[in-house]
């Protein structure tokens, strides 16, 4: 009976020791697993914030948020990108060509043709050509005085409206105006000459030139009038029939 008790006690002790050993192993394994899990979790959490990851993240934020990156490298990329954007925005456009100036009169070559003498529709066809190498513009009607008179002819009431626009004359280009002659009054005048000056858009005139009227054959022509008026400059000949 004693022997049986001893064996039972021994078995019980061994069993207890084995249980304690298993428990200790389990606790040790659990602590080791927790440490391993914690260490692995730390590495996985830190991976996106490595140097390479920071640059990529910053680069993505430069595009989306105009340079608000979290890392120093990202801030440098953002600043560089922002400076580049500002530089492009402030880039000056191509230089535009110089604005076309008003014709002063010195660059204009004039020709006055006396058409339909002593007939219905008699007029002086004034041709103005830009003889300069640069373009210039004219507007409205020329300021005209006939013979030795000092009265500027009025604008023709039969002329088309809208004559205040600028007409640009390239080198060699021509514009036309007509001085309508009416000899149906009692007081008549005769001359071969007229004075002509260009107007600006405000109606002021430049220096005048003295011109002679000519026939279609190139001879100086006398014209008679009791009243007269003038049309606006036009790129087409008036009364071209």
């Amino acid at each position: 009976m004693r022997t049986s008790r001893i064996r039972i006690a021994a078995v019980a002790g061994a069993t207890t020791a084995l249980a304690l050993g298993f428990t200790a192993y389990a606790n040790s394994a659990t602590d080791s697993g927790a440490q391993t899990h914690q260490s692995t979790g730390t590495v996985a959490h830190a991976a996106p914030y490595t140097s390479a990851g920071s640059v990529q993240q910053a680069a993505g934020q430069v595009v989306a948020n105009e340079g608000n990156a979290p890392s120093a490298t990202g801030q440098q990329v953002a600043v560089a990108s922002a400076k580049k954007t500002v530089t492009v925005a402030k880039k000056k456009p191509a230089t535009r060509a110089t604005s076309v100036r008003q014709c002063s009169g010195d660059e204009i070559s004039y020709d006055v043709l006396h058409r339909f003498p002593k007939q219905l529709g008699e007029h002086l066809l004034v041709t103005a050509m830009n003889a300069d190498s640069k373009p210039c513009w004219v507007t409205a009607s020329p300021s005209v005085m006939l013979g030795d008179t000092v009265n500027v002819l009025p604008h023709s009431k039969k002329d088309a409206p809208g004559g205040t626009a600028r007409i640009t004359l390239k080198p060699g280009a021509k514009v036309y105006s007509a001085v309508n002659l009416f000899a149906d009054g009692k007081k008549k005048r005769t001359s071969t000459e007229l004075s002509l000056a260009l107007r600006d858009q405000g109606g002021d005139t430049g220096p005048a030139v003295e011109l002679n009227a000519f026939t279609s054959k190139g001879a100086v022509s006398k014209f008679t009038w009791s009243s007269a008026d003038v049309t606006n400059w036009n790129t087409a000949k008036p009364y071209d029939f």
Side-chain angles (χ1 to χ4, degrees), residues 20 26 29 37 39 51 62 74 78-79 96 103 107 157 181 188 233:
L20 290 174
H37 176 72
S39 176
S51 177
V62 167
V79 170
R96 295 182 178 179
C103 299
E107 67 281 82
K157 295 180 180 179
L181 302 172
K188 297 180 181 179
W233 292 114

Side-chain angles (χ1 to χ4, degrees), residues 7-241:
R7 287 180 178 177
I8 292 171
V11 171
T15 302
T16 302
L18 180 61
L20 290 174
F22 180 78
T23 302
Y25 174 79
N27 290 336
S28 176
T30 302
D31 293 341
S32 177
Q35 292 176 0
T36 303
H37 176 72
Q38 183 177 1
S39 176
T40 304
T42 301
V43 172
H45 180 68
Y49 293 90
T50 59
S51 177
S54 298
V55 173
Q56 293 174 359
Q57 184 178 5
Q61 291 183 0
V62 167
V63 175
N65 300 321
E66 297 182 357
N68 296 324
S71 65
T73 305
Q75 290 176 358
Q76 293 174 359
V77 173
V79 170
S81 179
K83 287 183 179 180
K84 183 177 181 181
T85 302
V86 171
T87 302
V88 172
K90 291 184 178 181
K91 186 177 180 180
K92 295 182 179 181
T95 304
R96 295 182 178 179
T98 305
S99 298
V100 177
R101 60 185 175 80
Q102 180 183 358
C103 299
S104 64
D106 294 338
E107 67 281 82
I108 301 298
S109 174
Y110 297 98
D111 181 63
V112 181
L113 176 63
H114 187 191
R115 301 190 71 204
F116 311 122
K118 299 180 181 180
Q119 300 178 42
L120 184 64
E122 181 180 6
H123 66 277
L124 304 176
L125 176 64
V126 181
T127 302
M129 183 186 75
N130 182 6
D132 198 8
S133 60
K134 298 180 180 179
C136 62
W137 58 265
V138 296
T139 188
S141 61
S143 176
V144 177
M145 293 184 291
L146 298 179
D148 57 359
T149 64
V150 294
N151 297 322
V152 177
L153 299 182
H155 177 243
S156 174
K157 295 180 180 179
K158 296 182 179 180
D159 194 12
T164 57
R166 295 180 181 182
I167 301 177
T168 299
L169 292 178
K170 294 182 179 180
K174 298 178 180 180
V175 286
Y176 307 92
S177 176
V179 177
N180 300 310
L181 302 172
F182 307 100
D184 51 0
K186 293 182 180 180
K187 188 176 182 180
K188 297 180 181 179
R189 295 178 178 271
T190 300
S191 181
T192 62
E193 299 177 348
L194 65 152
S195 176
L196 184 147
L198 298 177
R199 301 179 190 268
D200 60 20
Q201 287 186 303
D204 295 329
T205 59
V209 293
E210 302 293 330
L211 303 170
N212 280 309
F214 294 88
T215 66
S216 58
K217 295 182 179 181
V220 174
S221 180
K222 288 186 178 182
F223 53 90
T224 300
W225 79 99
S226 55
S227 64
D229 58 30
V230 61
T231 65
N232 289 319
W233 292 114
N234 201 309
T235 54
K237 291 181 181 180
Y239 316 121
D240 192 19
F241 46 81

